[in-house]
Amino acid sequence: ARRALEFLRAALWRDGRLLATARGGRAHLDAYLDDYAFLLAALLEMMQAEYRSEDLDFAIALADSLLARFEDKEAGGFYFTAHDHETLIHRPKSGHDNATPSGNGIAAFALQRLGHLLGETRYLEAAERTIQLFWPHIRQAPGGFASLLRAAGEAMVPPEIVILRGPAGVLANWVGRLGANPRRMVLALPNGVAGLPPMLAKPECDAVNAWVCRGVTCSAPTANIEDLLN
């Protein structure tokens, strides 16, 4: 996953925009909504597997480009093609899941999580506008909009964000014991990591400390993992 991400960043991210294809050392063709949305979601997963500041910087740049190049700022939601894409007979803006989840659904979900992580209202508001746009369709056929329903669920009840801080060698044990939870994000930040945004800027600790956050509210730190397992 790390090698794939580094390739995408090196070969397909050019001047603040994502490209769609690469072969023989040549990258070309503008990427589509789904490419931006799925890569943003993948970056959020990578940061939970192994936090690196450059991944967060890339996620922010990708999210900003997504808003600038695809969002319908008047009606809400995201077009499948960018604003400067070649003129088409029809410019789709779909929220319905098909063989893969909807680009609008994944964009809303990923932007919302990044917004909670950073306390960035621009991302949260774009996600909210997307959910509101498609809500009448969701009510008529909820089975076709699972990705947007997932985003709507987290709009009503923000995900739990667990921030771990401490020596790198001990953090992995905490992450392993906490395991995977679709309603929780776990970010393990080893001592020495610099350039953290305010939401993640917790003090360095001799032993692992954990902060549990919802939205922009965080609990007092705990050094007992059992507090998180119960």
Side-chain angles (χ1 to χ4, degrees), residues 115-126:
H116 286 304
L117 202 61
L118 301 175
E120 177 53 76
T121 57
R122 291 184 302 119
Y123 303 153
L124 297 172
E125 289 167 356

Side-chain angles (χ1 to χ4, degrees), residues 21-203:
T21 184
R23 182 180 181 184
R26 175 175 177 256
H28 67 125
L29 302 179
D30 286 342
Y32 299 93
L33 167 63
D34 292 21
D35 302 312
Y36 280 78
F38 277 88
L39 181 55
L40 180 57
L43 280 162
L44 293 174
E45 295 300 323
M46 281 299 299
M47 284 189 287
Q48 294 182 76
E50 178 190 27
Y51 182 84
R52 292 188 182 182
S53 296
E54 55 265 35
D55 290 343
L56 180 58
D57 293 340
F58 189 19
I60 294 170
L62 198 65
D64 289 345
S65 184
L66 175 60
L67 293 184
R69 305 187 66 241
F70 292 87
E71 187 186 15
D72 183 343
K73 297 187 183 301
E74 294 183 2
F78 298 90
Y79 291 105
F80 183 67
T81 56
H83 299 318
D84 58 354
H85 195 86
E86 64 181 286
T87 302
L88 303 174
I89 296 175
H90 172 60
R91 191 182 181 197
K93 184 174 62 171
S94 174
H96 199 282
D97 296 327
N98 289 298
T100 58
S102 155
N104 268 282
I106 298 301
F109 180 80
L111 284 168
Q112 199 164 240
R113 286 208 158 187
L114 186 61
H116 286 304
L117 202 61
L118 301 175
E120 177 53 76
T121 57
R122 291 184 302 119
Y123 303 153
L124 297 172
E125 289 167 356
E128 182 180 4
R129 287 192 295 268
T130 303
I131 295 167
Q132 289 177 342
L133 171 69
F134 291 106
W135 190 249
H137 306 285
I138 296 171
R139 292 186 63 184
Q140 291 178 356
F145 296 87
S147 58
L148 275 165
L149 279 172
R150 188 183 182 200
E154 292 204 351
M156 292 183 285
V157 181
E160 184 178 84
I161 300 172
V162 178
I163 301 170
L164 305 177
R165 191 76 156 142
V170 189
L171 286 173
N173 179 56
W174 278 59
V175 173
R177 289 193 62 191
L178 289 173
N181 184 330
R183 294 285 301 143
R184 170 187 280 174
M185 296 180 67
V186 178
L187 292 174
L189 311 177
N191 294 337
V193 172
L196 294 169
M199 180 71 177
L200 303 181
K202 307 304 181 185

Side-chain angles (χ1 to χ4, degrees), residues 160 162 164 174 177-178 184 208-212 219-230:
E160 184 178 84
V162 178
L164 305 177
W174 278 59
R177 289 193 62 191
L178 289 173
R184 170 187 280 174
V208 176
N209 273 259
W211 288 259
V212 180
S219 67
T222 177
N224 184 4
I225 193 172
E226 298 299 328
D227 294 340
L228 306 181
L229 298 174
N230 296 331

Side-chain angles (χ1 to χ4, degrees), residues 12-29:
L12 296 173
W13 179 246
R14 302 281 179 83
D15 301 321
R17 68 172 57 203
L18 193 63
L19 299 177
T21 184
R23 182 180 181 184
R26 175 175 177 256
H28 67 125
L29 302 179

